[in-house]
Amino acid sequence: MALIVSTWLIINHRRRDGIAQWLQPGYEAASESLVVLNRLALKPAIEGVTADLHELVDLVSRLRLAEQRSPELPFGVIVAELEGYQKNALPHDYEHRLAADTDLLSDYLTLTRMQGIKLEAARTAIASVQRLIEKRTRT
């Protein structure tokens, strides 16, 4: 009986280790994305000015790879929210445009609000994926 139990434990731990190694790149990309999003939350995203947006492009690529490796996990939701966040970046010369035409204020405020919404949605999606990965790899 002890031999059966010990064999089962060894097989179970090896299987979990394999799953953990398989999911590790996606988990790390999600964690790094969360760090970048926390930095971006402190300021509005501006095209060509906010350096963290370039780092976010690389992380989106890594998350797409994780989605291909593990399609059952919702990495695609994170990718969609991050891409939505990037699409709502303010133009690099928005201050000059706003000074010339104050009617653009509502448009820029809408972009900024959408940035906040997408940022929070991405954070929530990242937390959800990380919980799923932790649940699968829990020993």
Side-chain angles (χ1 to χ4, degrees):
M1 185 65 157
L3 179 63
I4 293 171
V5 171
S6 65
T7 303
W8 180 83
L9 285 173
I10 290 170
I11 291 170
N12 190 35
H13 284 287
R14 284 187 183 167
R15 182 184 61 81
R16 283 187 184 172
D17 289 345
I19 291 171
Q21 287 177 350
W22 182 258
L23 296 174
Q24 188 66 29
Y27 189 87
E28 289 174 358
S31 295
E32 290 175 29
S33 298
L34 191 57
V35 170
V36 171
L37 289 176
N38 288 338
R39 277 196 311 253
L40 286 168
L42 300 174
K43 57 190 172 218
I46 303 168
E47 291 176 3
V49 176
T50 307
D52 294 327
L53 287 176
H54 298 295
E55 188 177 348
L56 205 55
V57 171
D58 295 337
L59 291 170
V60 167
S61 297
R62 290 177 51 201
L63 288 167
R64 281 193 178 150
L65 291 173
E67 180 184 15
Q68 291 172 356
R69 289 175 58 99
S70 304
E72 70 279 359
L73 293 173
F75 284 108
V77 175
I78 300 172
V79 169
E81 296 299 341
L82 292 178
E83 287 177 342
Y85 178 81
Q86 291 170 324
K87 288 178 184 173
N88 288 305
L90 295 169
H92 70 283
D93 59 345
Y94 80 97
E95 294 168 338
H96 298 294
R97 290 182 184 182
L98 189 58
D101 185 7
T102 57
D103 294 334
L104 294 173
L105 180 62
S106 65
D107 294 337
Y108 292 152
L109 285 175
T110 302
L111 284 175
T112 307
R113 281 189 204 107
M114 289 305 296
Q115 285 179 13
I117 291 168
K118 293 295 183 181
L119 190 126
E120 286 304 315
R123 284 177 173 171
T124 304
I126 289 169
S128 171
V129 167
Q130 286 180 327
R131 276 194 304 271
L132 288 172
I133 290 172
E134 289 167 359
K135 186 176 180 182
R136 289 181 180 195
T137 59
R138 192 175 312 148
T139 56

